[in-house]
Amino acid sequence: MSATKAAVNTPVTLTWSSTDASSCSASDTWSGTQGTRGSMVITPSAGGQYSYTITCTGSGGSSKKTVTLAVPMPVMPTSYENKNDIVVDDPKLPNLQDIPGVTLESGEQNLSQRAVAFADFLQEGSFSAITASTFYRNAFPGSNPSKWPDTAAKLYLLRKDSSGKWTDVTSQLIKTPSERYICVTPGFIEIGDLNKDGRPDAVISCTGPDFTINGVFDDSSLQYAVLSQADGSYRVVTLAVPSIYAHQVALADIDGDGNLDILSVDTGYHRTPIVMWGNGDGTVRVDATRFPADMYQKAIYGMRAIPVNGKINVVVSGNPTGAQAGPPASNEFGTKVLQYSAGKFQYVNDLSAGIPKVTSSGLSYALALDAIYKAGYYYFIRVNADYTGSAIIKTDAMTGASTLLTEVVRGSSSDTSGVLKLTSQNRLVSQMADCGPNASKSTDYFHYQCTFSIPLP
């Protein structure tokens, strides 16, 4: 092989020769009878690992040789596509203590159930994972009876080995150990190419301690990105944005300048969704002037940027009027779709009216933590106002008419994480961490569901 690694659509030459052979045959990625010597040009059209084996036979027997070509998985244009359009059909990670070589620190809890994403960080033609553990260290005695995270979380980069076991490769990719410690509560991790080098980067939506401390609730946090470096490693950097409440972010090129932008909710500092315009080098410019004025001070916590028919649909979500245990009516928002036009985000649809308000359990599901678009419908994973239950709801993208597909009430062992993934078999699965034998935690905010999978209706 003229190169053992090549990008998609890059030609590579495979050459072979033999001595005293009368025939040769190919197997694995190629096949058929081959000459006893020759060459061919291979132009890989997709990322992956491709093995080429040739077996040559003569009067003295046969000989076999295999070479492998690694084609790094390309980074897609939006964080939505980098989650749903990649072939990772079992997007779950084991318990932290089940990963070889990992030693838990004092107070280190398991991997945060929503903070998980997949990309080819090692550039080897297969998907590795980025996630984070959380810590409870009793930093605020008496204020945190549920033992929610109260000190900085810790990043992990994981690789699945040839036997199918996940291994820790963080030290191989993040050279400065102190950079692994990020915000207290990493919410969602989104994948995109922020610095335009063709390799995946990650943005982590962050909040602080998610509970009241001495009568005060201030859950804002710095925001973090994990950026690829020229030597193949990664640096963890803080984004140039004030400390905000970024429950969720989404990545897409909003203004069409070729640079990836970051959209974020923020009910804390700006009190309106914001744009972090990408400069193409991993840095951003914060802009709080692009969303409609009536979104100010609304309880908006969900955000997804979804490519639909050549445009980016920005789906933002909170609790609608009348949601059980929701915020004051003046702060309620619902679920709405916006598109960027003429320098502003404009409303194009309101999907709030069709949300099933009351289910057989008596709970109202409103806040959409994730959304998948397919053939004219959104598939939402929604939670009620205090996260005691969740549901998968199918919604007509034009009319907002909705159908409840499945409902899970917390207290059983079947809770969902808040991140949906569409598999290559058109199934909706729960993308999450912590699915080992000790993953049952059904009594606090960090609840898990390890078997959720339904066919796309």
Side-chain angles (χ1 to χ4, degrees), residues 148-192:
W148 291 2
D150 60 9
T151 46
K154 184 179 182 181
L155 279 176
Y156 284 88
L157 286 141
L158 306 174
R159 177 184 182 272
K160 188 178 286 189
D161 65 19
S162 57
S163 67
K165 292 184 177 180
W166 288 97
T167 59
D168 183 8
V169 294
T170 315
S171 60
Q172 176 181 339
L173 292 174
I174 299 178
K175 302 299 186 181
T176 306
S178 61
E179 291 182 1
R180 295 180 62 179
Y181 296 90
I182 51 170
C183 53
V184 172
T185 309
F188 297 76
I189 299 180
E190 306 298 334
I191 302 298

Side-chain angles (χ1 to χ4, degrees), residues 209-432:
D210 201 6
F211 54 90
T212 300
I213 302 171
N214 299 323
V216 177
F217 185 81
D218 181 8
D219 203 19
S220 59
S221 172
L222 295 175
Q223 305 301 306
Y224 293 82
V226 185
L227 299 178
S228 56
Q229 305 296 302
D231 64 356
S233 68
Y234 279 83
R235 290 294 310 272
V236 183
V237 301
T238 55
L239 295 172
V241 60
S243 191
I244 64 175
Y245 186 92
H247 187 266
Q248 197 167 49
V249 299
L251 313 182
D253 180 7
I254 297 300
D255 57 0
D257 67 351
N259 298 328
L260 198 63
D261 306 309
I262 305 171
L263 302 177
S264 178
V265 301
D266 177 20
T267 57
Y269 184 89
H270 297 97
R271 300 187 181 183
T272 182
I274 64 173
V275 186
M276 296 179 236
W277 298 114
N279 295 319
D281 59 359
T283 63
V284 297
R285 310 180 311 277
V286 180
D287 189 342
T289 68
R290 303 293 175 155
F291 283 90
D294 65 359
M295 298 178 77
Y296 182 69
Q297 287 193 326
K298 300 297 184 182
I300 298 169
Y301 302 110
M303 175 171 283
R304 281 290 181 244
I306 305 175
V308 178
N309 299 326
K311 296 183 178 181
I312 300 295
N313 280 6
V314 179
V315 181
V316 291
S317 185
N319 285 309
T321 301
Q324 184 182 42
S330 61
N331 291 348
E332 292 168 339
F333 184 77
T335 300
K336 300 178 184 180
V337 182
L338 302 92
Q339 291 178 355
Y340 190 72
S341 176
K344 294 283 187 178
F345 285 98
Q346 316 282 345
Y347 291 118
V348 296
N349 208 352
D350 188 341
L351 303 179
S352 305
I355 297 171
K357 297 296 195 303
V358 180
T359 67
S360 58
S361 65
L363 299 178
S364 301
Y365 298 112
L367 170 60
L369 293 180
D370 205 354
I372 287 173
Y373 178 87
K374 188 77 171 181
Y377 290 90
Y378 289 104
Y379 296 86
F380 291 109
I381 182 167
R382 295 185 181 272
V383 293
N384 67 319
D386 57 3
Y387 285 73
T388 55
S390 56
I392 309 299
I393 294 174
K394 178 182 178 180
T395 299
D396 188 297
M398 295 300 295
T399 68
S402 295
T403 304
L404 178 67
L405 299 181
T406 185
E407 176 189 17
V408 176
V409 179
R410 188 143 60 101
S412 67
S413 59
S414 303
D415 295 310
T416 52
S417 71
V419 182
L420 283 179
K421 181 169 186 334
L422 185 63
T423 72
S424 60
Q425 287 81 36
N426 273 332
R427 297 186 69 86
L428 296 173
V429 298
S430 177
Q431 175 168 307
M432 58 181 298

